[in-house]
Amino acid sequence: MGASQSAGTEHEFQDLADRTGFSLEQIGNINKRFRQLTNNEETLSREDLASIPALDNNPIRAQIINAFFDKRNLHQNETGTVQEIGFEEFLLVMTHFRPAAMGLTEEERENLRREKLRFLFNMHDTDSDGTITLEEYRWVVEELLSKAGIIGQETAKAIADAAMLEVAGTTRGKMEPDEFYEGITFENFLQILKTFDIETRMHVRFLNMDTATLRCGKSK
Amino acid sequence: MSVRVALHSRSFLERGLLLLVILIFLEGTVLTLGAASSPDISAQDNTGGHDHLDDHRGIAGSHVHPNYTKKAFPVLSLDYHHIQVPFEISLWVLLASLMKLGFHLIPQLSSIVPESCLLIVVGLLVGGLIKLAGEEVPPVLDSNLFFLCLLPPIILDAGYFLPIRPFMENIGTILMFAVVGTLWNAFFVGGLLYAVCQIEGTYLSQVELLPCLLFGSIISAVDPVAVLAVFEEIHINELLHILVFGESLLNDAVTVVLYHLFEEYSGAGEVTPMDVVLGVICFLIVSLGGIAVGAIYGILAAFTSRFTSHTRVIEPLFVFVYSYMAYLSAEMFHLSGIMALIACGAVMRPYVEANISHKSHTTVKYFLKMWSSVSETLIFIFLGVATVAGPHAWNWTFVSVTVILCLVSRVIGVVGLTFIINKFRIVKLTTKDQFIVAYGGLRGAIAFSLGYLLDKNLFPMRTMFLTAIITEIFFTVFVQGMTIKPLVDLLAVKKKQEAKRSINEEIHTQFLDHLLTGIEDICGHYGHHHWKDKLNRFNKKYIKKCLIAGERYKEPQLIAFYHKMEFKQAIELVESGGGVKLPSAVPSQVSMQNIQPKKLPPPVAERALPQFTKGREEEIRKILRSNLQKTRQRLRSYNRHTLVADPFEDGWNDFILKKQRLIELEKKMTEMSNYLTVPGATPDSPTMCRARLASGSDFKAEKGGAKVIPDPNAFYNIKASSDGVPTIQVDLASPQSPDSVNMLNEFSKRGATGQGLGQREGADRDEDQGLMMKPAGKGEKGEEEGGNKNPGLMRCLSDPGPSNEDEEDEPFLP
């Protein structure tokens, strides 16, 4: 059984490697970790992720976990969440954290940028309606400061409001008092983080990185 | 640009005059310095010459040949010697400052030629003038002076304002360039120079290998002063800047070790493999020891600053003195003083900044900038003077080979190292980046001073070395320094984005940090995000607690950033005086109503005075202003006391209360507009509610103070005791109309301005003025209450930052 199984996964991995741009070694590593997290089950549940002890100290733990179960991040054109994900989905989420490859063209860079920012945007936009409303943004900041105790909670709102004002001010310019800014759209989001070099900042070093096999981060 | 030109052409006459003044000063300075530095010589050829000269020589000579006849006025005599040293120092500093001033009057020139080049030219001119005057050029760039006085301010400035984040993110690359790159340069240049020297016909065969290597180690280090001077003008992107600059800082340890080792070996003559091993150990001791010394002093400084709340005035001094002590202590053991300073500055900064008052912080910033820029100016001028002064031994072969080898080794070193580094870097260095890193390797005064330190007896070729070093410095500073800017433009290297950091970016920086840490944890391997997170938490949990006074250590970074930003805006607000355009335009363009997700029903009953007559508006403002002044005075005296007594008790909420105060004022304005003629409105009237909502509903409601208190006076009483009961709904039920909001917005703007102005005026007024009660008594009282509870508020608003000119005349009334 072992032989056929491994041959199957080998083929599967190759397929995944082609689609995601990870190297076989990286996929092997991530797969090992996946098995470890799921206790050798086929699918991963929220509880599995929540039980990682190192995540306990992470203020945005809930959002991170949610991101793994968000259908928008799984390259499906639908919204909502799933309860369990398989290895392929797990890997797909991980692709967002791949470093940018050398020698990207301007266009590729822009795409990468959009893709990474879209991931962040989706994390903020909890109700999947395409805008980050004030409530949602407040929640983001509150979560971010959730480890800071009472001070954090009290200031979070003020910070979120200030940030929202900033977004409205930057994207809309001067607003009449009776106008209403309904929330941050993705375009606005791109605009406010224009100077934020996400493509060089949002990446994780995946183990066994073999630079030779890395292709540029186009994910289909 | 055209505007600038126009401006300048208009003030051309003025400028010309100033330049003339500078020139006169310059002449005076030069002659005095020349004369003063060598009183004996001037006394000897004291016969004739020109007027200026005679004057000064008279001064100098009068002391050398004292007249023993009895004076008519015994008290009055010329005693130049008495004041000579400080006088000369002041003259040099004055010269440097005037030069700096002068260059900014000629923007066309400084846009082409970097300031460092201009300063060297000035130095050359000054040296030439001294020489023309027949004096001996003073040994200005003496190594002691350089290493003990001129260098530390620049390095401390660099260390204190070191952008830690990019620095740590690229520490591997920086270390690689600084250590391996410098070693490579030293041995490559030294070795090949020796080879060239052995060629027949160069008349250099007496030069041995060890002096060559020593020379290589001196010449190979990139100089932080020169790099800073040039890179600050070309506004290169953060990554490249930190790479070149970081390298120039960290290679000091390598240079120090190599220098001392080779000097030692040259004396001993024999090098064993053991010595090489010892050399490596030495390097580790020198660099790590330097860092350790710096870190210890940095922590001491941070710890001391914890207790300075009673003596604010000397706070900045601790920063300087501890750093200088760190530098001297490190130098005492021949450790790397530069590393010690960098470590000291970088370690102490976050804690000191949290502890000291804003004013002290501004002082620290300004002193550092002032000292470093004067030092830098002096160094470049001295370099020019020293060039004229020094005995030169020009050897075409040696000099040209040096220059070529330096370039070649730098290019090979950078390209080779990048090839290795890029295997490990996630963000690769492109060819353009490599070019800039290689081309930005400027040499500077450190190399000169090290060469100057060489013992003449041990190194007979010292003069030739010095000449070659100077040529190399001139070549890099002039040729590379002047061409790097056009090249950066030509290659379209990414420039630094000048935008100020926005709160959204800060939020996302934090968010990303946590996100990446989380992803690493999920991936199950501990990358650098994981360790950074660990370190951060350790820092927060233990170190901050020890080193930061009061409650502020709990403040997360984001909140600190937010407060800083708010604070800056408040200052800008105050500074903008009565201006129509507020600098912090964003929040004033869009107000809270624009993003508040609740739509409000139209106004019900009374549309209270949406319009004012001009006269009444005036009246209101007058009232407001005088009231504000009174409040201000009372706050001031009270605050001065509490500021000393317990400045950080409120810590973070100073800022919130400051904001609160702005909101209160805004509200008061509205209230006044509504009730100026209709006093005694019930607190629960819709207008009241509207005002409340419009001005700061969110904030107040959250604090839980808004609804429960029926009395408008008490309404201002904002307590931080959040009882968690959301009261927004009640507030929001009240009417709000576009019109009223419009008016309100306008008023809030004016109000804020008025507040700033009022405070400023208040601060300048006589304190004895009584408190006048005006129709807006309610608001005033609230104001007072709010203020009294928040002494720290004063601190913020009374601290208008650097440009502290009085704006009393600023038109508050249009």
Side-chain angles (χ1 to χ4, degrees):
Chain A
M1 173 186 162
S4 67
Q5 172 82 15
S6 77
T9 38
E10 198 76 352
H11 181 72
E12 215 172 279
F13 282 5
Q14 188 57 55
D15 184 45
L16 282 174
D18 291 342
R19 284 172 51 195
T20 59
F22 281 114
S23 71
L24 279 179
E25 291 89 344
Q26 285 170 340
I27 293 182
N29 266 312
I30 299 173
N31 186 258
K32 217 178 279 166
R33 177 65 176 172
F34 184 78
R35 300 255 160 215
Q36 193 188 343
L37 287 177
T38 56
N39 298 321
N40 268 327
E41 302 276 320
E42 282 301 310
T43 54
L44 182 83
S45 65
R46 282 167 193 274
E47 288 71 34
D48 291 331
L49 284 184
S51 64
I52 299 173
L55 271 185
D56 283 347
N57 288 314
N58 205 317
I60 56 167
R61 174 169 168 241
Q63 280 154 295
I64 294 175
I65 295 176
N66 275 339
F68 276 88
F69 299 93
D70 195 322
K71 283 183 185 169
R72 287 170 297 173
N73 292 334
L74 306 176
H75 298 283
Q76 294 165 15
N77 288 327
E78 47 191 316
T79 55
T81 56
V82 289
Q83 285 312 306
E84 296 197 318
I85 53 170
F87 177 64
E88 194 185 330
E89 284 84 15
F90 187 72
L91 203 61
L92 278 174
V93 175
M94 287 297 178
T95 53
H96 292 103
F97 296 94
R98 291 192 54 244
M102 269 285 258
L104 288 185
T105 62
E106 234 8 79
E107 197 185 339
E108 282 170 332
R109 186 169 288 275
E110 191 52 38
N111 282 341
L112 186 71
R113 199 183 148 70
R114 283 183 81 96
E115 179 215 328
K116 284 187 191 284
L117 280 176
R118 174 63 82 175
F119 187 83
L120 283 188
F121 184 83
N122 287 346
M123 281 181 88
H124 298 337
D125 180 21
T126 38
D127 63 359
S128 318
D129 65 350
T131 52
I132 304 172
T133 58
L134 182 62
E135 288 305 314
E136 283 167 343
Y137 211 21
R138 276 183 188 165
W139 190 68
V140 170
V141 181
E142 263 169 44
E143 284 287 299
L144 207 52
L145 294 173
S146 58
K147 296 282 174 197
I150 187 85
I151 307 172
Q153 293 318 299
E154 281 170 0
T155 327
K157 258 190 187 138
I159 293 177
D161 291 354
M164 202 70 176
L165 280 175
E166 194 183 82
V167 179
T170 327
T171 54
R172 287 281 188 89
K174 186 149 179 58
M175 285 177 83
E176 293 304 314
D178 55 336
E179 265 185 89
F180 175 62
Y181 186 73
E182 48 302 296
I184 308 168
T185 62
F186 186 59
E187 293 307 315
N188 293 162
F189 195 68
L190 282 177
Q191 200 180 338
I192 52 166
L193 294 179
K194 204 161 48 188
T195 55
F196 190 80
D197 296 320
I198 190 102
E199 66 271 23
T200 56
R201 289 168 82 168
M202 185 167 148
H203 56 71
V204 167
R205 196 180 285 269
F206 289 101
L207 281 190
N208 272 8
M209 188 159 66
D210 187 3
T211 41
T213 55
L214 269 185
R215 301 271 170 272
C216 52
K218 278 181 291 185
S219 38
K220 290 152 205 171
Chain B
M1 191 62 208
S2 65
V3 178
R4 258 172 71 189
V5 170
L7 196 78
H8 279 288
S9 65
R10 202 189 51 188
S11 63
F12 189 76
L13 197 72
E14 276 172 48
R15 213 172 54 185
L17 268 174
L18 194 65
L19 281 177
L20 196 71
V21 171
I22 291 173
L23 272 178
I24 291 170
F25 253 114
L26 182 65
E27 198 182 355
T29 313
V30 167
L31 294 173
T32 318
L33 286 172
S37 60
S38 51
D40 314 327
I41 301 168
S42 63
Q44 278 162 18
D45 55 7
N46 207 354
T47 51
H50 59 80
D51 298 341
H52 285 285
L53 227 58
D54 263 353
D55 279 355
H56 295 295
R57 281 176 193 179
I59 292 166
S62 73
H63 196 78
V64 177
H65 297 294
N67 194 353
Y68 285 108
T69 53
K70 201 180 169 197
K71 286 176 197 158
F73 301 99
V75 181
L76 294 181
S77 67
L78 272 174
D79 191 0
Y80 178 69
H81 230 68
H82 185 56
I83 53 139
Q84 184 185 350
V85 175
F87 189 73
E88 281 172 30
I89 294 172
S90 317
L91 269 184
W92 277 116
V93 173
L94 185 65
L95 172 72
S97 320
L98 283 178
M99 281 304 121
K100 210 146 189 134
L101 195 68
F103 293 146
H104 288 280
L105 295 176
I106 322 170
Q108 295 91 343
L109 186 63
S110 50
S111 66
I112 307 166
V113 188
E115 214 177 273
S116 43
C117 300
L118 290 174
L119 289 171
I120 290 182
V121 171
V122 168
L124 287 173
L125 287 177
V126 172
L129 280 175
I130 295 178
K131 222 167 196 172
L132 268 185
E135 312 291 346
E136 193 175 298
V137 180
V140 274
L141 203 57
D142 176 60
S143 294
N144 264 339
L145 172 77
F146 177 76
F147 282 114
L148 296 185
C149 303
L150 293 178
L151 191 58
I154 300 177
I155 304 298
L156 178 62
D157 177 59
Y160 194 79
F161 296 107
L162 187 75
I164 305 264
R165 206 189 162 98
F167 184 78
M168 291 315 281
E169 274 168 9
N170 297 298
I171 187 79
T173 314
I174 292 170
L175 275 177
M176 194 83 171
F177 280 135
V179 179
V180 185
T182 310
L183 278 177
W184 154 260
N185 280 353
F187 283 100
F188 185 83
V189 173
L192 279 185
L193 254 184
Y194 177 67
V196 169
C197 287
Q198 296 314 304
I199 299 170
E200 287 294 320
T202 51
Y203 309 108
L204 288 166
S205 48
Q206 81 280 11
V207 183
E208 291 163 45
L209 177 61
L210 276 174
C212 267
L213 288 177
L214 179 61
F215 177 76
S217 68
I218 291 174
I219 202 78
S220 60
V222 176
D223 187 79
V225 183
V227 166
L228 262 185
V230 169
F231 271 59
E232 238 160 52
E233 286 179 31
I234 58 175
H235 304 292
I236 200 92
N237 68 61
E238 207 177 33
L239 173 71
L240 284 179
H241 185 271
I242 200 69
L243 283 186
V244 180
F245 178 53
E247 179 198 344
S248 71
L249 289 176
L250 296 192
N251 65 20
D252 177 61
V254 182
T255 313
V256 167
V257 172
L258 284 181
Y259 180 83
H260 287 297
L261 279 184
F262 287 136
E263 203 182 22
E264 200 64 39
Y265 298 158
S266 304
E270 202 51 34
V271 185
T272 59
M274 193 59 196
D275 288 332
V276 178
V277 177
L278 280 179
V280 174
I281 295 173
C282 271
F283 165 72
L284 290 178
I285 291 174
V286 164
S287 50
L288 297 180
I291 292 175
V293 168
I296 289 169
Y297 275 100
I299 289 170
L300 276 179
F303 193 65
T304 312
S305 71
R306 215 192 134 154
F307 305 103
T308 52
S309 52
H310 296 273
T311 42
R312 289 282 186 217
V313 272
I314 57 165
E315 264 174 353
L317 203 59
F318 285 117
V319 173
F320 306 132
V321 173
Y322 272 116
S323 320
Y324 196 50
M325 293 282 283
Y327 181 76
L328 293 181
S329 307
E331 287 286 303
M332 184 166 68
F333 297 108
H334 277 208
L335 302 175
S336 165
I338 291 186
M339 295 266 249
L341 261 186
I342 301 283
C344 185
V347 165
M348 76 162 81
R349 189 186 180 192
Y351 311 111
V352 167
E353 230 167 66
N355 278 333
I356 64 177
S357 74
H358 178 74
K359 265 183 182 155
S360 302
H361 183 55
T362 312
T363 313
V364 168
K365 269 198 295 199
Y366 266 60
F367 259 83
L368 279 178
K369 290 288 171 213
M370 186 185 80
W371 270 340
S372 62
S373 76
V374 168
S375 270
E376 190 193 274
T377 314
L378 277 177
I379 285 175
F380 284 118
I381 291 183
F382 284 177
L383 207 59
V385 175
T387 309
V388 176
H392 290 290
W394 185 268
N395 182 310
W396 272 106
T397 327
F398 194 77
V399 168
S400 49
V401 167
T402 303
V403 171
I404 293 169
L405 280 182
C406 276
L407 264 182
V408 171
S409 75
R410 177 87 189 156
V411 171
I412 298 179
V414 168
V415 172
L417 284 177
T418 320
F419 181 73
I420 303 169
I421 293 166
N422 264 353
K423 287 206 185 300
F424 300 99
R425 280 184 70 90
I426 286 184
V427 184
K428 315 283 183 207
L429 293 178
T430 62
T431 321
K432 278 185 206 167
D433 295 340
Q434 293 174 36
F435 175 77
I436 296 294
V437 170
Y439 206 71
L442 307 178
R443 315 305 204 267
I446 290 184
F448 178 81
S449 289
L450 284 176
Y452 196 86
L453 270 180
L454 290 176
D455 190 350
K456 228 173 204 161
N457 300 322
L458 220 52
F459 301 97
M461 62 301 282
R462 172 177 177 264
T463 327
M464 188 179 69
F465 280 1
L466 272 182
T467 309
I469 291 172
I470 287 178
T471 318
E472 168 68 12
I473 293 172
F474 275 40
F475 178 78
T476 52
V477 171
F478 277 87
V479 178
Q480 297 185 4
M482 277 165 75
T483 48
I484 197 165
K485 200 173 183 180
L487 279 172
V488 165
D489 293 336
L490 194 75
L491 290 173
V493 178
K494 212 163 131 200
K495 295 256 183 137
K496 192 165 85 187
Q497 273 121 359
E498 281 302 334
K500 61 175 181 183
R501 288 197 78 181
S502 69
I503 182 117
N504 280 296
E505 281 186 23
E506 185 64 26
I507 289 174
H508 282 92
T509 307
Q510 304 277 320
F511 192 84
L512 208 57
D513 275 349
H514 291 303
L515 176 62
L516 294 179
T517 312
I519 296 294
E520 272 189 356
D521 290 338
I522 288 176
C523 282
H525 68 90
Y526 298 146
H528 70 272
H529 294 289
H530 178 86
W531 294 112
K532 205 166 79 182
D533 190 58
K534 273 248 161 79
L535 192 70
N536 269 341
R537 264 188 283 127
F538 176 77
N539 183 21
K540 203 173 283 169
K541 214 168 173 184
Y542 303 106
I543 303 179
K544 276 192 175 173
K545 210 171 194 168
C546 295
L547 295 184
I548 296 182
E551 296 289 291
R552 279 195 90 188
Y553 71 88
K554 287 181 186 160
E555 197 173 68
Q557 214 181 334
L558 182 58
I559 296 184
F561 176 86
Y562 173 67
H563 286 157
K564 231 187 253 174
M565 194 192 76
E566 254 204 326
F567 180 68
K568 227 183 260 165
Q569 277 176 2
I571 288 174
E572 277 170 2
L573 213 62
V574 171
E575 282 191 336
S576 67
V580 188
K581 226 171 62 183
L582 293 176
S584 53
V586 176
S588 54
Q589 272 179 1
V590 184
S591 59
M592 211 48 216
Q593 296 97 34
N594 296 127
I595 62 165
Q596 195 57 268
K598 274 98 185 174
K599 281 287 180 193
L600 300 156
V604 191
E606 94 271 49
R607 303 264 307 99
L609 335 166
Q611 293 260 313
F612 287 116
T613 58
K614 242 323 189 235
R616 186 177 286 169
E617 228 177 275
E618 206 95 321
E619 192 187 340
I620 292 167
R621 283 190 197 138
K622 250 183 216 154
I623 292 165
L624 236 185
R625 186 151 61 142
S626 54
N627 285 348
L628 275 169
Q629 283 159 14
K630 304 302 138 32
T631 329
R632 173 66 174 179
Q633 277 154 20
R634 295 191 46 150
L635 284 174
R636 181 182 152 94
S637 50
Y638 180 66
N639 273 315
R640 192 180 265 161
H641 183 65
T642 38
L643 186 73
V644 174
D646 199 358
F648 274 112
E649 193 186 39
D650 289 332
W652 62 274
N653 69 41
D654 287 359
F655 294 97
I656 288 175
L657 284 149
K658 173 204 63 193
K659 180 178 177 181
Q660 203 60 53
R661 187 168 157 158
L662 284 173
I663 291 167
E664 273 161 25
L665 187 95
E666 183 182 311
K667 207 151 76 62
K668 195 168 84 179
M669 295 291 286
T670 332
E671 200 182 318
M672 274 177 54
S673 62
N674 287 341
Y675 299 117
L676 198 61
T677 48
V678 196
T682 54
D684 286 331
S685 77
T687 340
M688 194 53 214
C689 292
R690 195 181 71 210
R692 191 184 302 167
L693 165 80
S695 48
S697 62
D698 180 46
F699 217 86
K700 293 217 172 110
E702 187 194 331
K703 298 275 178 237
K707 186 197 68 175
V708 277
I709 300 160
D711 175 19
N713 284 353
F715 180 69
Y716 297 107
N717 201 346
I718 307 308
K719 286 214 165 68
S721 62
S722 158
D723 51 6
V725 179
T727 54
I728 305 175
Q729 293 82 355
V730 181
D731 284 333
L732 292 178
S734 53
Q736 182 184 30
S737 77
D739 270 5
S740 71
V741 169
N742 214 341
M743 182 183 78
L744 191 101
N745 275 351
E746 239 220 285
F747 252 96
S748 72
K749 219 189 247 182
R750 284 194 196 135
T753 319
Q755 189 192 27
L757 187 75
Q759 281 177 346
R760 203 167 267 208
E761 280 185 5
D764 296 331
R765 286 278 176 102
D766 193 353
E767 300 219 15
D768 286 354
Q769 262 180 329
L771 191 83
M772 274 190 286
M773 289 308 279
K774 291 283 168 175
K778 278 190 280 185
E780 184 182 289
K781 205 168 163 201
E783 187 92 30
E784 222 173 284
E785 258 181 64
N788 281 348
K789 277 204 281 126
N790 300 294
L793 176 67
M794 255 295 298
R795 211 186 88 216
C796 310
L797 290 169
S798 66
D799 236 349
S803 58
N804 202 353
E805 64 277 350
D806 252 332
E807 286 174 11
E808 260 193 331
D809 301 340
E810 208 52 59
F812 175 68
L813 307 170

